[in-house]
Amino acid sequence: TEQWGCPVLRLRSTAQAAGVSNAYRDPKRLGVDRWAALVAARSLSSKPVVVIDVGSACTIDVMDGAGRHKGGWIAPGLRLMESALLKGTREIMLEAGSDDRAAWGTDTRQGVRAGIEAALLGLIERSARRLEEEENEPVECVMTGGDGQHLKSLIELPCVYDPALVLKGVALLVSDERHG
């Protein structure tokens, strides 16, 4: 505060903020990055939305059209899944130089990469289908995170990629806290 001349705010997930209600029994246990992404997604749309953040982990949070967070799923991200597979098996070695963009693996490297991508894409698509069935209307998908743009290029449903989604949510939470 002294060095920069501005107050330090510590953001936490809460039961409600900026038109979004948190589904967690203990709201502060929801990661503030996921909370911020939900708040930002709500500011972009009043439709049911699936919020996907793909980095070390892949987090998927769903929210209905009224801004009620329904919960989410957490899975390993692309690199963590690959690392776990390589550490947990014997004799899998990823040869250099193969084309990683193949739909079906014709060598081990392609098989691992295509399988991991398919696993995460299936998880994302399933979450969207499930929310669509629950809400009985089309849903929107918003993706962020280091591997979000790559997965967005592969997904077979409409999805927006926003690399700054979490930061946009942080700005909205700060504004909400100052005016709340």
Side-chain angles (χ1 to χ4, degrees), residues 51 166 174:
V51 180
V166 173
V174 167

Side-chain angles (χ1 to χ4, degrees), residues 100-179:
D100 291 342
R101 298 290 297 171
W104 300 104
T106 56
D107 63 34
T108 303
R109 179 182 209 89
Q110 287 177 343
V112 167
R113 296 274 160 79
I116 288 168
E117 287 171 351
L120 287 181
L121 291 169
L123 190 68
I124 293 164
E125 290 170 2
R126 182 177 179 143
S127 67
R129 279 194 313 274
R130 178 173 278 177
L131 183 60
E132 213 163 63
E133 289 170 6
E134 289 176 5
E135 297 302 308
N136 200 28
E137 65 177 296
V139 303
E140 296 187 358
C141 289
V142 181
M143 194 175 295
T144 194
D147 289 322
Q149 190 167 21
H150 172 66
L151 281 184
K152 193 240 179 249
S153 73
L154 302 174
I155 201 158
E156 294 180 6
L157 55 95
C159 193
V160 173
Y161 173 70
D162 187 341
L165 188 70
V166 173
L167 293 177
K168 288 176 181 176
V170 166
L172 290 166
L173 287 169
V174 167
S175 176
D176 193 59
E177 187 170 299
R178 287 186 176 159
H179 296 99

Side-chain angles (χ1 to χ4, degrees), residues 27-124:
K28 66 181 176 276
R29 301 289 297 170
L30 177 66
V32 74
D33 56 335
R34 291 171 61 198
W35 182 236
L38 282 160
V39 166
R42 179 65 181 163
S43 76
L44 299 173
S45 176
S46 61
K47 294 184 178 186
V49 65
V50 178
V51 180
I52 306 114
D53 190 340
V54 191
S56 300
C58 175
T59 61
I60 299 173
D61 285 284
V62 297
M63 180 169 45
D64 68 16
R68 288 184 297 261
H69 174 228
K70 298 179 83 152
W73 297 338
I74 303 171
L78 293 169
R79 283 179 285 288
L80 190 55
M81 240 191 266
E82 181 179 293
S83 173
L85 179 64
L86 296 177
K87 287 179 183 171
T89 57
R90 290 181 178 215
E91 299 182 30
I92 288 186
M93 297 173 63
L94 300 184
E95 307 85 20
S98 67
D99 176 16
D100 291 342
R101 298 290 297 171
W104 300 104
T106 56
D107 63 34
T108 303
R109 179 182 209 89
Q110 287 177 343
V112 167
R113 296 274 160 79
I116 288 168
E117 287 171 351
L120 287 181
L121 291 169
L123 190 68
I124 293 164

